[in-house]
Amino acid sequence: MTTQEVQAARRMLDAARRVVVVTGAGMSAESGVPTFRGEDGLWRNHRPEELATPGAFQHDPKLVWQWYRWRRGLVAACEPNAGHRALSAFRARHPETTVVTQNVDGLHQEADRLEGVGPAVSPVLELHGRLFGDRCQGCHRRTEANRTPDPDLDATLPRCDDCGDLLRPDVVWFGEGLPRSVLETAVDAARTADICLVVGTSARVQPAASLPLATTGAGGTIIEVNLSPTPLSRRARVTLRGPSGELLPELLGP
Ligand code: OAD
């Protein structure tokens, strides 16, 4: 990666009318949130089908809850990194930018708060739900989760105050559909964007991995920021190899 490539990408962003930004776990890696498929990734030590599927929850809800409570504790101690902050500051200056994330950690929203992103900016689209939300599997009521889970709760299962059915984390598991209106808004944003900036995703999980192709299919271009090549790299006009916490401030800074 050279300064020239960053400068070329900056010029493209300057000239763009609409930008969509698709982010994945690499975006939060420098905040201390583990990725899924990296060397220390969550899927190196755990099998997704034992923890992140409706079947896993039916089979052993305590095990699934223990894992999500562990992740909540871990993420609650993390803060947005310089990449999140640069992206939020960019959106404050370019409110027509849409962020679509596969991350459930809420760090984009926290960065928006820190950077004073106002109501003119469209909210971050969370394709895979949110870690700090609970949802009743009976009546589907959504509630806020406690940010600092009580370890004593590990032996218990949380229940809905309204109907008494089991609560589950408000995330999307493998084998489940994405929230429809969120996905539709994301596809629309990708189709109408001149540039899709793809940050820190292995681009292996659908339908998120196809969003950048909606941009190129409509005549737009891809800029990729990632430590390593991905299936999208060969379709990108510019690929910036390096950590997003360092590259995004250079790319998106004023
Ligand atoms: P992955 O763990 O599959 O990929 C992370 C990507 O980030 C890799 O391509 C890394 O090279 C890159 N990366 C790591 N650190 C980086 C850094 N500091 N700067 C830039 N790039 C970096 O994570 P996702 O692609 O987000 O879904 O995974 C997609 C989905 O798979 C997740 O949302 C989750 C998972 O299973 C569900 O749980 C439904």
Side-chain angles (χ1 to χ4, degrees), residues 45-71:
N45 300 314
H46 305 280
R47 284 152 53 98
E49 57 272 28
E50 282 170 7
L51 293 166
T53 63
F57 192 65
Q58 288 298 329
H59 175 69
D60 195 345
K62 270 192 188 153
L63 178 71
V64 173
W65 263 119
Q66 273 169 10
W67 191 63
Y68 277 94
R69 283 181 177 139
W70 169 75
R71 283 179 65 195

mmCIF file of all heavy atoms in Angstrom, residues 45-71:
data_model
loop_
_atom_site.group_PDB
_atom_site.id
_atom_site.type_symbol
_atom_site.label_atom_id
_atom_site.label_comp_id
_atom_site.label_asym_id
_atom_site.label_seq_id
_atom_site.Cartn_x
_atom_site.Cartn_y
_atom_site.Cartn_z
ATOM 1 N N ASN A 45 -11.857 -21.639 17.651
ATOM 2 C CA ASN A 45 -12.010 -22.425 18.880
ATOM 3 C C ASN A 45 -13.427 -22.918 19.129
ATOM 4 O O ASN A 45 -13.658 -23.687 20.048
ATOM 5 C CB ASN A 45 -11.582 -21.589 20.095
ATOM 6 C CG ASN A 45 -10.142 -21.180 19.975
ATOM 7 O OD1 ASN A 45 -9.305 -21.992 19.648
ATOM 8 N ND2 ASN A 45 -9.865 -19.904 20.196
ATOM 9 N N HIS A 46 -14.364 -22.390 18.363
ATOM 10 C CA HIS A 46 -15.769 -22.771 18.588
ATOM 11 C C HIS A 46 -16.381 -23.153 17.250
ATOM 12 O O HIS A 46 -16.041 -22.571 16.227
ATOM 13 C CB HIS A 46 -16.568 -21.585 19.146
ATOM 14 C CG HIS A 46 -15.987 -20.990 20.385
ATOM 15 N ND1 HIS A 46 -16.167 -21.544 21.625
ATOM 16 C CD2 HIS A 46 -15.238 -19.887 20.572
ATOM 17 C CE1 HIS A 46 -15.543 -20.798 22.529
ATOM 18 N NE2 HIS A 46 -14.968 -19.792 21.916
ATOM 19 N N ARG A 47 -17.318 -24.091 17.306
ATOM 20 C CA ARG A 47 -18.027 -24.447 16.072
ATOM 21 C C ARG A 47 -19.301 -23.616 16.012
ATOM 22 O O ARG A 47 -20.114 -23.662 16.944
ATOM 23 C CB ARG A 47 -18.367 -25.934 16.077
ATOM 24 C CG ARG A 47 -17.145 -26.835 15.784
ATOM 25 C CD ARG A 47 -17.295 -28.185 16.425
ATOM 26 N NE ARG A 47 -18.568 -28.816 16.064
ATOM 27 C CZ ARG A 47 -18.701 -29.719 15.097
ATOM 28 N NH1 ARG A 47 -17.668 -30.104 14.412
ATOM 29 N NH2 ARG A 47 -19.877 -30.249 14.843
ATOM 30 N N PRO A 48 -19.491 -22.853 14.916
ATOM 31 C CA PRO A 48 -20.666 -21.984 14.833
ATOM 32 C C PRO A 48 -21.962 -22.741 15.070
ATOM 33 O O PRO A 48 -22.874 -22.245 15.721
ATOM 34 C CB PRO A 48 -20.633 -21.443 13.397
ATOM 35 C CG PRO A 48 -19.270 -21.699 12.883
ATOM 36 C CD PRO A 48 -18.628 -22.749 13.740
ATOM 37 N N GLU A 49 -22.016 -24.005 14.592
ATOM 38 C CA GLU A 49 -23.294 -24.733 14.713
ATOM 39 C C GLU A 49 -23.606 -25.112 16.158
ATOM 40 O O GLU A 49 -24.736 -25.478 16.479
ATOM 41 C CB GLU A 49 -23.342 -25.953 13.776
ATOM 42 C CG GLU A 49 -22.248 -26.962 13.945
ATOM 43 C CD GLU A 49 -20.999 -26.643 13.109
ATOM 44 O OE1 GLU A 49 -20.726 -25.460 12.811
ATOM 45 O OE2 GLU A 49 -20.288 -27.580 12.792
ATOM 46 N N GLU A 50 -22.590 -25.019 17.068
ATOM 47 C CA GLU A 50 -22.857 -25.313 18.484
ATOM 48 C C GLU A 50 -23.238 -24.065 19.267
ATOM 49 O O GLU A 50 -23.630 -24.146 20.429
ATOM 50 C CB GLU A 50 -21.610 -25.941 19.124
ATOM 51 C CG GLU A 50 -21.469 -27.402 18.769
ATOM 52 C CD GLU A 50 -20.127 -27.967 19.193
ATOM 53 O OE1 GLU A 50 -19.362 -27.269 19.884
ATOM 54 O OE2 GLU A 50 -19.855 -29.108 18.804
ATOM 55 N N LEU A 51 -23.050 -22.894 18.663
ATOM 56 C CA LEU A 51 -23.259 -21.650 19.416
ATOM 57 C C LEU A 51 -24.126 -20.616 18.709
ATOM 58 O O LEU A 51 -24.701 -19.753 19.367
ATOM 59 C CB LEU A 51 -21.893 -21.001 19.709
ATOM 60 C CG LEU A 51 -21.000 -21.794 20.658
ATOM 61 C CD1 LEU A 51 -19.574 -21.259 20.606
ATOM 62 C CD2 LEU A 51 -21.547 -21.728 22.073
ATOM 63 N N ALA A 52 -24.177 -20.653 17.421
ATOM 64 C CA ALA A 52 -24.826 -19.545 16.698
ATOM 65 C C ALA A 52 -25.825 -20.050 15.676
ATOM 66 O O ALA A 52 -25.841 -19.600 14.522
ATOM 67 C CB ALA A 52 -23.752 -18.671 16.033
ATOM 68 N N THR A 53 -26.661 -20.989 16.105
ATOM 69 C CA THR A 53 -27.768 -21.445 15.246
ATOM 70 C C THR A 53 -29.005 -21.622 16.134
ATOM 71 O O THR A 53 -28.870 -21.841 17.342
ATOM 72 C CB THR A 53 -27.475 -22.822 14.585
ATOM 73 O OG1 THR A 53 -27.342 -23.802 15.631
ATOM 74 C CG2 THR A 53 -26.216 -22.807 13.740
ATOM 75 N N PRO A 54 -30.202 -21.549 15.546
ATOM 76 C CA PRO A 54 -31.416 -21.803 16.344
ATOM 77 C C PRO A 54 -31.378 -23.202 16.952
ATOM 78 O O PRO A 54 -31.814 -23.396 18.088
ATOM 79 C CB PRO A 54 -32.555 -21.678 15.319
ATOM 80 C CG PRO A 54 -31.980 -20.914 14.173
ATOM 81 C CD PRO A 54 -30.514 -21.194 14.150
ATOM 82 N N GLY A 55 -30.815 -24.180 16.235
ATOM 83 C CA GLY A 55 -30.743 -25.552 16.746
ATOM 84 C C GLY A 55 -29.880 -25.621 17.996
ATOM 85 O O GLY A 55 -30.204 -26.356 18.947
ATOM 86 N N ALA A 56 -28.763 -24.892 17.993
ATOM 87 C CA ALA A 56 -27.870 -24.884 19.155
ATOM 88 C C ALA A 56 -28.616 -24.332 20.372
ATOM 89 O O ALA A 56 -28.486 -24.850 21.487
ATOM 90 C CB ALA A 56 -26.641 -24.027 18.862
ATOM 91 N N PHE A 57 -29.427 -23.304 20.159
ATOM 92 C CA PHE A 57 -30.158 -22.688 21.273
ATOM 93 C C PHE A 57 -31.230 -23.641 21.803
ATOM 94 O O PHE A 57 -31.432 -23.743 23.017
ATOM 95 C CB PHE A 57 -30.766 -21.358 20.809
ATOM 96 C CG PHE A 57 -31.298 -20.518 21.939
ATOM 97 C CD1 PHE A 57 -30.445 -19.995 22.907
ATOM 98 C CD2 PHE A 57 -32.658 -20.251 22.042
ATOM 99 C CE1 PHE A 57 -30.934 -19.227 23.957
ATOM 100 C CE2 PHE A 57 -33.151 -19.478 23.091
ATOM 101 C CZ PHE A 57 -32.289 -18.961 24.048
ATOM 102 N N GLN A 58 -31.887 -24.354 20.892
ATOM 103 C CA GLN A 58 -32.889 -25.344 21.327
ATOM 104 C C GLN A 58 -32.222 -26.434 22.164
ATOM 105 O O GLN A 58 -32.726 -26.864 23.190
ATOM 106 C CB GLN A 58 -33.533 -26.035 20.105
ATOM 107 C CG GLN A 58 -34.484 -25.155 19.318
ATOM 108 C CD GLN A 58 -35.664 -24.710 20.165
ATOM 109 O OE1 GLN A 58 -36.101 -25.423 21.059
ATOM 110 N NE2 GLN A 58 -36.163 -23.503 19.913
ATOM 111 N N HIS A 59 -31.046 -26.864 21.683
ATOM 112 C CA HIS A 59 -30.359 -28.008 22.286
ATOM 113 C C HIS A 59 -29.765 -27.654 23.653
ATOM 114 O O HIS A 59 -29.879 -28.420 24.608
ATOM 115 C CB HIS A 59 -29.273 -28.473 21.313
ATOM 116 C CG HIS A 59 -28.414 -29.566 21.859
ATOM 117 N ND1 HIS A 59 -28.900 -30.832 22.074
ATOM 118 C CD2 HIS A 59 -27.114 -29.573 22.248
ATOM 119 C CE1 HIS A 59 -27.936 -31.577 22.569
ATOM 120 N NE2 HIS A 59 -26.844 -30.843 22.697
ATOM 121 N N ASP A 60 -29.099 -26.478 23.731
ATOM 122 C CA ASP A 60 -28.384 -26.134 24.961
ATOM 123 C C ASP A 60 -28.380 -24.610 25.172
ATOM 124 O O ASP A 60 -27.362 -23.942 24.973
ATOM 125 C CB ASP A 60 -26.944 -26.673 24.869
ATOM 126 C CG ASP A 60 -26.253 -26.677 26.230
ATOM 127 O OD1 ASP A 60 -26.763 -26.006 27.157
ATOM 128 O OD2 ASP A 60 -25.208 -27.337 26.362
ATOM 129 N N PRO A 61 -29.533 -24.050 25.573
ATOM 130 C CA PRO A 61 -29.607 -22.589 25.707
ATOM 131 C C PRO A 61 -28.612 -22.030 26.732
ATOM 132 O O PRO A 61 -28.121 -20.916 26.567
ATOM 133 C CB PRO A 61 -31.059 -22.328 26.141
ATOM 134 C CG PRO A 61 -31.610 -23.642 26.566
ATOM 135 C CD PRO A 61 -30.815 -24.703 25.891
ATOM 136 N N LYS A 62 -28.279 -22.826 27.756
ATOM 137 C CA LYS A 62 -27.329 -22.319 28.772
ATOM 138 C C LYS A 62 -25.955 -22.106 28.156
ATOM 139 O O LYS A 62 -25.296 -21.091 28.415
ATOM 140 C CB LYS A 62 -27.229 -23.299 29.942
ATOM 141 C CG LYS A 62 -28.239 -22.978 30.998
ATOM 142 C CD LYS A 62 -27.989 -23.730 32.278
ATOM 143 C CE LYS A 62 -29.189 -23.480 33.188
ATOM 144 N NZ LYS A 62 -29.433 -24.532 34.138
ATOM 145 N N LEU A 63 -25.514 -23.069 27.358
ATOM 146 C CA LEU A 63 -24.205 -22.945 26.712
ATOM 147 C C LEU A 63 -24.177 -21.721 25.795
ATOM 148 O O LEU A 63 -23.225 -20.934 25.808
ATOM 149 C CB LEU A 63 -23.888 -24.209 25.896
ATOM 150 C CG LEU A 63 -22.570 -24.161 25.136
ATOM 151 C CD1 LEU A 63 -21.392 -24.252 26.104
ATOM 152 C CD2 LEU A 63 -22.493 -25.282 24.101
ATOM 153 N N VAL A 64 -25.240 -21.536 25.023
ATOM 154 C CA VAL A 64 -25.295 -20.390 24.098
ATOM 155 C C VAL A 64 -25.284 -19.093 24.891
ATOM 156 O O VAL A 64 -24.539 -18.156 24.570
ATOM 157 C CB VAL A 64 -26.551 -20.498 23.192
ATOM 158 C CG1 VAL A 64 -26.725 -19.240 22.355
ATOM 159 C CG2 VAL A 64 -26.438 -21.727 22.292
ATOM 160 N N TRP A 65 -26.079 -19.042 25.980
ATOM 161 C CA TRP A 65 -26.105 -17.822 26.792
ATOM 162 C C TRP A 65 -24.751 -17.536 27.449
ATOM 163 O O TRP A 65 -24.327 -16.386 27.549
ATOM 164 C CB TRP A 65 -27.224 -17.878 27.849
ATOM 165 C CG TRP A 65 -28.458 -17.170 27.372
ATOM 166 C CD1 TRP A 65 -29.685 -17.705 27.180
ATOM 167 C CD2 TRP A 65 -28.561 -15.788 27.022
ATOM 168 N NE1 TRP A 65 -30.558 -16.754 26.720
ATOM 169 C CE2 TRP A 65 -29.895 -15.568 26.614
ATOM 170 C CE3 TRP A 65 -27.668 -14.720 26.996
ATOM 171 C CZ2 TRP A 65 -30.360 -14.316 26.199
ATOM 172 C CZ3 TRP A 65 -28.121 -13.463 26.569
ATOM 173 C CH2 TRP A 65 -29.449 -13.278 26.190
ATOM 174 N N GLN A 66 -24.082 -18.614 27.892
ATOM 175 C CA GLN A 66 -22.745 -18.408 28.502
ATOM 176 C C GLN A 66 -21.814 -17.745 27.507
ATOM 177 O O GLN A 66 -21.069 -16.839 27.839
ATOM 178 C CB GLN A 66 -22.143 -19.743 28.934
ATOM 179 C CG GLN A 66 -22.558 -20.162 30.320
ATOM 180 C CD GLN A 66 -22.156 -21.606 30.613
ATOM 181 O OE1 GLN A 66 -21.421 -22.220 29.860
ATOM 182 N NE2 GLN A 66 -22.681 -22.144 31.692
ATOM 183 N N TRP A 67 -21.868 -18.201 26.249
ATOM 184 C CA TRP A 67 -20.973 -17.664 25.221
ATOM 185 C C TRP A 67 -21.305 -16.198 24.923
ATOM 186 O O TRP A 67 -20.433 -15.354 24.829
ATOM 187 C CB TRP A 67 -21.071 -18.530 23.947
ATOM 188 C CG TRP A 67 -20.008 -18.205 22.947
ATOM 189 C CD1 TRP A 67 -18.668 -18.344 23.103
ATOM 190 C CD2 TRP A 67 -20.202 -17.689 21.627
ATOM 191 N NE1 TRP A 67 -18.016 -17.946 21.959
ATOM 192 C CE2 TRP A 67 -18.932 -17.548 21.041
ATOM 193 C CE3 TRP A 67 -21.334 -17.345 20.881
ATOM 194 C CZ2 TRP A 67 -18.749 -17.069 19.738
ATOM 195 C CZ3 TRP A 67 -21.150 -16.880 19.583
ATOM 196 C CH2 TRP A 67 -19.877 -16.741 19.031
ATOM 197 N N TYR A 68 -22.607 -15.892 24.830
ATOM 198 C CA TYR A 68 -22.985 -14.497 24.540
ATOM 199 C C TYR A 68 -22.690 -13.583 25.728
ATOM 200 O O TYR A 68 -22.295 -12.433 25.549
ATOM 201 C CB TYR A 68 -24.448 -14.397 24.079
ATOM 202 C CG TYR A 68 -24.540 -14.705 22.600
ATOM 203 C CD1 TYR A 68 -24.815 -15.988 22.151
ATOM 204 C CD2 TYR A 68 -24.263 -13.724 21.651
ATOM 205 C CE1 TYR A 68 -24.836 -16.282 20.804
ATOM 206 C CE2 TYR A 68 -24.285 -14.015 20.296
ATOM 207 C CZ TYR A 68 -24.566 -15.291 19.877
ATOM 208 O OH TYR A 68 -24.570 -15.576 18.532
ATOM 209 N N ARG A 69 -22.862 -14.109 26.936
ATOM 210 C CA ARG A 69 -22.527 -13.275 28.107
ATOM 211 C C ARG A 69 -21.031 -13.016 28.152
ATOM 212 O O ARG A 69 -20.598 -11.919 28.498
ATOM 213 C CB ARG A 69 -23.001 -13.944 29.391
ATOM 214 C CG ARG A 69 -24.492 -13.781 29.578
ATOM 215 C CD ARG A 69 -24.932 -14.444 30.870
ATOM 216 N NE ARG A 69 -26.334 -14.233 31.106
ATOM 217 C CZ ARG A 69 -27.153 -15.159 31.562
ATOM 218 N NH1 ARG A 69 -26.711 -16.375 31.825
ATOM 219 N NH2 ARG A 69 -28.413 -14.883 31.763
ATOM 220 N N TRP A 70 -20.231 -14.004 27.794
ATOM 221 C CA TRP A 70 -18.777 -13.835 27.731
ATOM 222 C C TRP A 70 -18.433 -12.758 26.689
ATOM 223 O O TRP A 70 -17.637 -11.853 26.944
ATOM 224 C CB TRP A 70 -18.115 -15.172 27.380
ATOM 225 C CG TRP A 70 -16.669 -15.043 27.043
ATOM 226 C CD1 TRP A 70 -15.647 -14.846 27.916
ATOM 227 C CD2 TRP A 70 -16.081 -15.069 25.734
ATOM 228 N NE1 TRP A 70 -14.447 -14.742 27.234
ATOM 229 C CE2 TRP A 70 -14.690 -14.883 25.895
ATOM 230 C CE3 TRP A 70 -16.591 -15.234 24.441
ATOM 231 C CZ2 TRP A 70 -13.807 -14.851 24.812
ATOM 232 C CZ3 TRP A 70 -15.716 -15.214 23.367
ATOM 233 C CH2 TRP A 70 -14.344 -15.019 23.557
ATOM 234 N N ARG A 71 -19.082 -12.835 25.514
ATOM 235 C CA ARG A 71 -18.806 -11.833 24.473
ATOM 236 C C ARG A 71 -19.256 -10.445 24.909
ATOM 237 O O ARG A 71 -18.590 -9.445 24.627
ATOM 238 C CB ARG A 71 -19.489 -12.223 23.166
ATOM 239 C CG ARG A 71 -18.742 -13.327 22.442
ATOM 240 C CD ARG A 71 -19.433 -13.723 21.165
ATOM 241 N NE ARG A 71 -19.451 -12.668 20.167
ATOM 242 C CZ ARG A 71 -20.238 -12.669 19.096
ATOM 243 N NH1 ARG A 71 -21.081 -13.670 18.891
ATOM 244 N NH2 ARG A 71 -20.203 -11.685 18.229
#
